Amino acid sequence: MEVKKRLYTVDDVLELQGWDGKRDRKYELINGDLIEMSPTNYPHGRLAGRLFRYFEDYAESRNLGEASVEAGFHPANDRSTLLAPDVAFITRARLPDPESFTLVGFMPDLAVEIKSPSNTMAELRRKSTIYLENGAQLVWLIDPMKRIAEICRLGESGQLQTRTVGPDGKLSGEDLLPGFVLELRHLFGRRST
């Protein structure tokens, strides 16, 4: 007898996470597969905080949109996929209702994933493809150990295209955050000795 694996939905995640505040678990979904998220390490959290601050300060002063940290996003017509980018940016025209205490029913315009020791770049590229195929315009993958970033977008054929930015390089907000430039050396800060 074949045993079917259970496929989860966004509604299941809402139940499991306990939006009543009594449970403190975080999950993502990819095609119905439930992925429990563990707490991040300090450098990961510091990078996410820095990116959020850079995005929020720049966007707010120009009325371009808003940034978020670890908010849940799912494609509009797919409740079997739910991702929580480390940092996300949404343009002003697409902002969700600020009084709606639920997951966002679309993908952010810009998603940032920071590589943890438990991640592979292949896993993060898979997430990049999901973001981009479902409405994100740009994805940045940050590798703090190598002090590099990958800029991801979909090519004309629908294939993931990446470009690596080295430790002395810069990331651009392109059309989403016009004029925004972030030097990786500022993001990573000092090296510990």
Side-chain angles (χ1 to χ4, degrees):
M1 178 169 94
E2 183 180 334
V3 177
K4 284 192 168 186
K5 183 172 102 173
R6 176 172 180 195
L7 297 179
Y8 291 84
T9 68
V10 169
D11 300 311
D12 295 322
V13 169
L14 290 172
E15 178 69 27
L16 289 166
Q17 286 185 166
W19 284 75
D20 56 6
K22 295 180 181 172
R23 285 167 269 169
D24 191 23
R25 292 184 176 172
K26 294 180 183 179
Y27 299 96
E28 287 185 324
L29 288 172
I30 296 180
N31 299 322
D33 290 333
L34 190 66
I35 303 159
E36 187 167 3
M37 307 302 290
S38 61
T40 62
N41 60 36
Y42 177 76
H44 186 118
R46 186 182 70 232
L47 285 176
R50 282 182 181 167
L51 278 165
F52 170 81
R53 187 184 75 229
Y54 291 144
F55 285 166
E56 193 69 6
D57 289 348
Y58 190 86
E60 188 173 291
S61 69
R62 292 159 180 80
N63 198 29
L64 297 173
E66 295 179 353
S68 65
V69 177
E70 294 185 356
F73 293 85
H74 65 88
N77 299 316
D78 178 3
R79 296 187 68 80
S80 68
T81 297
L82 171 68
L83 297 176
D86 292 304
V87 183
F89 174 75
I90 305 171
T91 57
R92 172 96 21 228
R94 297 183 68 226
L95 287 174
D97 178 358
E99 301 301 318
S100 175
F101 292 92
T102 188
L103 303 168
V104 182
F106 58 84
M107 290 297 175
D109 294 294
L110 169 59
V112 180
E113 291 284 351
I114 300 169
K115 185 180 181 303
S116 295
S118 61
N119 297 127
T120 66
M121 287 306 285
E123 290 169 333
L124 295 182
R125 288 182 193 114
R126 179 179 181 205
K127 284 185 179 184
S128 295
T129 301
I130 294 168
Y131 287 121
L132 294 164
E133 286 178 342
N134 289 286
Q137 295 179 44
L138 186 62
V139 177
W140 293 349
L141 304 179
I142 308 294
D143 186 336
M145 294 297 290
K146 293 183 179 177
R147 300 173 74 88
I148 63 171
E150 281 189 15
I151 301 169
C152 305
R153 58 177 54 82
L154 289 182
E156 289 182 23
S157 64
Q159 293 292 93
L160 182 68
Q161 295 181 336
T162 64
R163 182 172 61 87
T164 300
V165 176
D168 295 323
K170 300 175 185 178
L171 294 171
S172 165
E174 301 182 8
D175 294 338
L176 298 172
L177 291 159
F180 178 84
V181 176
L182 175 59
E183 294 182 40
L184 287 185
R185 65 185 175 91
H186 292 301
L187 176 62
F188 295 121
R190 64 177 170 77
R191 280 196 186 264
S192 54
T193 54

